[in-house]
Amino acid sequence: DVKVTQSSRYLVKRTGEKVFLECVQDMDHENMFWYRQDPGLGLRLIYFSYDVKMKEKGDIPEGYSVSREKKERFSLILESASTNQTSMYLCASSTLGAGVYNEQFFGPGTRLTVL
Amino acid sequence: AQSVTQLDSHVSVSEGTPVLLRCNYSSSYSPSLFWYVQHPNKGLQLLLKYTSAATLVKGINGFEAEFKKSETSFHLTKPSAHMSDAAEYFCVVRPPNSGYALNFGKGTSLLVTP
């Protein structure tokens, strides 16, 4: 089974702190994604990566950056956390095989609270 | 951008009765369509996906969805609800030529009462 793990289930940070969210997948997937999930808004794509050191902005990249130094690991960075970044963050991965019908596999999520 | 609209934010059914969760998509072409489920405090799990091989798609846990191009719909159904079906359900579209992006609907919360 594909496994996507995220470093923390719950995280509490203070405004202005630099925050790192880590995601690791064990299936040698080329693509990795970061979403945030807010009630009534569904999931919104922050950034994705289709290869090591490659990244693309999603729909809401402002206030975030990412890093992918190894194929299995994709990090989301909040340079200076703000209260409006309080949210559930979900990481996902997918393979290039089978083209557009590829499903994404999700981690359990990190619930981040910024005080 | 191509998108999906989930027509109900909340659906409540009694255990043993049918489930219908409605999803419409906006597309000039046949997109790739998915339904995901999220149980409380869990990650998202794929229920089923439309791959153009058949318009009626069967998924896990007895769910199925029918792709209707004329109605631009991809509704999710189950003949008989179980208590364990209570969860958040997301209709998802990958537009043609979109690369890797998925567009998520806002979700439908399914409540199953005894």
Side-chain angles (χ1 to χ4, degrees):
Chain A
D1 281 351
V2 175
K3 193 164 185 181
V4 181
T5 56
Q6 296 183 228
S7 51
S8 305
R9 291 300 306 272
Y10 299 93
L11 209 53
V12 179
K13 296 292 181 181
R14 299 227 173 256
T15 300
E17 280 192 77
K18 190 168 186 176
V19 181
F20 293 87
L21 303 182
E22 304 285 340
C23 174
V24 177
Q25 50 93 5
D26 66 358
M27 283 300 292
D28 201 35
H29 283 173
E30 293 82 4
N31 307 321
M32 297 188 74
F33 308 82
W34 275 107
Y35 296 88
R36 64 176 284 175
Q37 181 181 13
D38 300 288
L41 297 179
L43 274 72
R44 293 178 291 168
L45 182 65
I46 304 171
Y47 267 98
F48 67 97
S49 169
Y50 51 90
D51 200 353
V52 174
K53 296 190 185 296
M54 305 303 289
K55 60 184 179 184
E56 293 283 346
K57 293 181 179 179
D59 299 320
I60 51 164
E62 296 78 20
Y64 304 95
S65 62
V66 291
S67 173
R68 193 164 180 203
E69 297 296 320
K70 293 185 178 181
K71 190 175 185 179
E72 68 271 18
R73 188 179 298 270
F74 192 36
S75 303
L76 180 68
I77 304 156
L78 286 66
E79 295 289 342
S80 178
S82 64
T83 55
N84 62 11
Q85 293 178 310
T86 292
S87 187
M88 170 70 86
Y89 290 88
L90 293 167
C91 176
S93 72
S94 71
T95 183
L96 277 177
V100 295
Y101 305 123
N102 285 343
E103 64 182 278
Q104 292 182 11
F105 295 86
F106 284 82
T110 296
R111 186 167 294 281
L112 172 67
T113 301
V114 182
L115 303 176
Chain B
Q2 299 188 354
S3 64
V4 291
T5 301
Q6 292 184 244
L7 300 171
D8 306 291
S9 58
H10 295 86
V11 170
S12 181
V13 300
S14 299
E15 189 176 19
T17 65
V19 177
L20 170 64
L21 304 183
R22 298 182 295 166
C23 173
N24 287 110
Y25 66 92
S26 64
S27 175
S28 301
Y29 308 95
S30 291
S32 303
L33 291 159
F34 309 78
W35 275 98
Y36 279 82
V37 61
Q38 185 179 33
H39 288 93
N41 299 314
K42 297 282 181 70
L44 276 78
Q45 180 185 19
L46 181 71
L47 270 180
L48 51 81
K49 61 183 177 182
Y50 169 67
T51 63
S52 76
T55 56
L56 184 62
V57 183
K58 294 189 183 298
I60 62 172
N61 301 334
F63 284 93
E64 61 182 36
E66 186 171 7
F67 174 74
K68 291 187 176 180
K69 188 174 182 179
S70 59
E71 299 176 9
T72 61
S73 69
F74 191 56
H75 301 334
L76 183 69
T77 60
K78 184 174 181 177
S80 177
H82 191 273
M83 297 296 290
S84 61
D85 294 328
E88 189 87 10
Y89 291 81
F90 293 94
C91 184
V92 183
V93 65
R94 175 184 282 125
N97 305 317
S98 68
Y100 314 103
L102 292 179
N103 292 338
F104 282 77
K106 295 184 178 181
T108 298
S109 180
L110 177 65
L111 175 67
V112 182
T113 57

